[in-house]
Amino acid sequence: MLSNSLLQRATLALSLLGSVHAAPFTFRLGKRDVAFDYNNDKVRGVNLGGWFVLEPWITPSIFAQWADETTVVDEYTYCQTLGSDQASSNLQSHWNTWITQDDFNQIAEAGLNHVRIPIGYWAVAPLNGDPYVQGQLPILDNAITWARSAGLKVLLDLHGAPGSQNGFDNSGRYGPIDWQQGDTVSETITAIQNLASRYSSDTDVVTAIELLNEPLGGSLDLDEIKTFYQNGYESVQGGSNNYATCIHDAFQNFETYWNGFMNSASGDQNVILDTHQYQIFSQDQVSMSPSEHVAAACALGPQLAGTDKWTIVGEWTGAQTDCAKWLNGLGKGARYDGTLAGSSTVGSCDGKYTGTVADLSTDDKNNIASFIDAQLDAYEQHTGWIFWAWKTESAPEWHLQNLTAAGLFPQPVTSRTYPNQCSS
């Protein structure tokens, strides 16, 4: 997870197909068959973050012994430091317990219809010399079964590429951006091919594959990203005609930059554009008032509606601060309270650095609920949304499971505590 981008809107409504738990009909969309009607039904989903790709801020307990050091900051250095046997033992335990069938059932009961599952290239196409460990795929296989049982669709998201596509810890390796160097792009295509092949008989559940999460367009060759997307599209289609292919906006304007690329006019069918919308990763953003956050979210709706392909906000949050422990990297502070180098204090992170939704202040709860409602209204002006994340160990603003239980995320998902915020 982590970053910034945007979305669009589809037409016609088939009330017959409106239920989240509708029977698994297959819709003929263009030249391929997809088991979810992305034209007429809204994507309402959640990311299963921190499961198969570690992020220190989601599961700080896994990294606690290195809290005062900078030696272990991501999954790469975690495995490198512990060695294969210990890392494998620890991660097998984590993979088997962090998300279970019960989570899938709760997600469906909350009225959602999609889960986005991040996976690293090392799980599906490991490279010689890498310290990463394997064993994720049998559990991912279980996840597909659990999703089918719960009536959920799955978007498989290649979250980390060889060399790192963005230098973020959530790519598997924090630091330099070496994707597009050497054989890294072709190795990424191999990982996509392996994913598409493995789940080619599960397209009743796995409706889309995302080619790559958050390539940092400003630090990469955008023309090469486009070529990679076109080749990746063919790789996904080669696995099955029943997949949609999801591409990330690479932090370019999702409307003006990506309109005209890989759409129906160019002959590319069933392409989903993914944009990630966070309002907390700059000093200006964390300095915004609650009403300014709402207004910024609402402004995205018409822009999303102006895209020429299916568009989802594939990551977003209820957070209006970057207070969550290690959100900006292991051992790093927050802009909001001035503890991140180079930042200036906006307010207190009390209750938001670590804690529970129940322990948030009344003002924080109201602000989060209002912000969530506004984003739902904006993002459903096109194809839909996928919240980040289902659960965290200690970051209350990001924990959808607990936000829902506390009444800050609407139930039913179409209801609003703060209605019509984007209409004024």
Side-chain angles (χ1 to χ4, degrees), residues 46-53 55 58 98-100 103-104 107 114-119 140 143 146 152 154 386-391:
V46 66
N47 285 274
L48 303 185
W51 192 12
F52 297 122
V53 179
E55 298 191 36
I58 295 179
W98 183 245
I99 299 290
T100 67
D103 291 291
F104 281 79
I107 290 166
H114 275 68
V115 290
R116 180 172 178 257
I117 304 181
I119 193 81
L140 181 57
W146 298 337
L152 297 169
V154 172
I386 305 178
F387 188 94
W388 190 285
W390 174 240
K391 60 169 63 171

Side-chain angles (χ1 to χ4, degrees), residues 20 22-26 33-38 43 48 101 104 113-117 140-157 198-209 240 242-244 272 386:
V20 165
F25 297 116
T26 296
D33 294 335
V34 180
F36 184 83
D37 187 358
Y38 290 101
V43 173
L48 303 185
Q101 173 78 73
F104 281 79
N113 54 30
H114 275 68
V115 290
R116 180 172 178 257
I117 304 181
L140 181 57
D141 295 345
N142 291 341
I144 306 308
T145 300
W146 298 337
R148 181 178 289 113
S149 174
L152 297 169
K153 303 305 182 188
V154 172
L155 189 163
L156 293 178
D157 153 45
R198 186 178 187 93
Y199 297 107
S200 61
S201 61
D202 295 301
T203 55
D204 61 311
V205 175
V206 182
T207 54
I209 294 177
S240 172
N242 299 330
Y243 290 123
I272 303 171
I386 305 178

Side-chain angles (χ1 to χ4, degrees), residues 186-373:
S186 62
E187 290 163 349
T188 307
I189 291 292
T190 298
I192 292 166
Q193 291 170 336
N194 290 350
L195 267 182
S197 174
R198 186 178 187 93
Y199 297 107
S200 61
S201 61
D202 295 301
T203 55
D204 61 311
V205 175
V206 182
T207 54
I209 294 177
E210 184 156 3
L211 301 180
L212 188 59
N213 179 70
E214 296 185 350
L216 194 59
S219 299
L220 295 165
D221 185 320
L222 285 166
D223 287 336
E224 287 190 24
I225 291 177
K226 289 182 174 180
T227 299
F228 163 72
Y229 282 167
Q230 290 166 328
N231 292 336
Y233 170 88
E234 296 300 329
S235 296
V236 169
Q237 186 176 23
S240 172
N241 288 333
N242 299 330
Y243 290 123
T245 300
C246 187
I247 60 174
H248 185 262
D249 66 11
F251 306 111
Q252 307 305 299
N253 186 286
F254 58 81
E255 183 182 9
T256 59
Y257 186 84
W258 291 104
N259 274 0
F261 177 75
M262 290 184 70
N263 59 13
S264 57
S266 65
D268 298 307
Q269 305 296 322
N270 302 339
V271 175
I272 303 171
L273 181 64
D274 175 20
T275 182
H276 296 171
Q277 295 299 322
Y278 296 112
Q279 297 182 24
I280 55 174
F281 291 113
S282 74
Q283 188 68 43
D284 286 345
Q285 288 178 325
V286 297
S287 299
M288 293 163 62
S289 68
S291 62
E292 288 173 329
H293 281 293
V294 167
C298 289
L300 294 175
Q303 298 174 49
L304 292 168
T307 62
D308 64 2
K309 57 185 68 69
W310 298 331
T311 307
I312 60 170
V313 178
E315 291 188 20
W316 61 284
T317 177
Q320 297 182 348
T321 77
D322 64 338
C323 286
K325 179 179 179 179
W326 297 345
L327 179 63
N328 294 303
L330 192 146
K332 297 181 180 179
R335 297 169 186 84
Y336 191 76
D337 67 357
T339 56
L340 182 68
S343 65
S344 55
T345 304
V346 176
S348 171
C349 282
D350 289 351
K352 297 184 284 289
Y353 177 69
T354 60
T356 66
V357 173
D359 291 334
L360 289 169
S361 71
T362 298
D363 282 347
D364 282 337
K365 289 178 181 177
N366 291 339
N367 290 336
I368 289 171
S370 171
F371 189 36
I372 286 173
D373 279 3

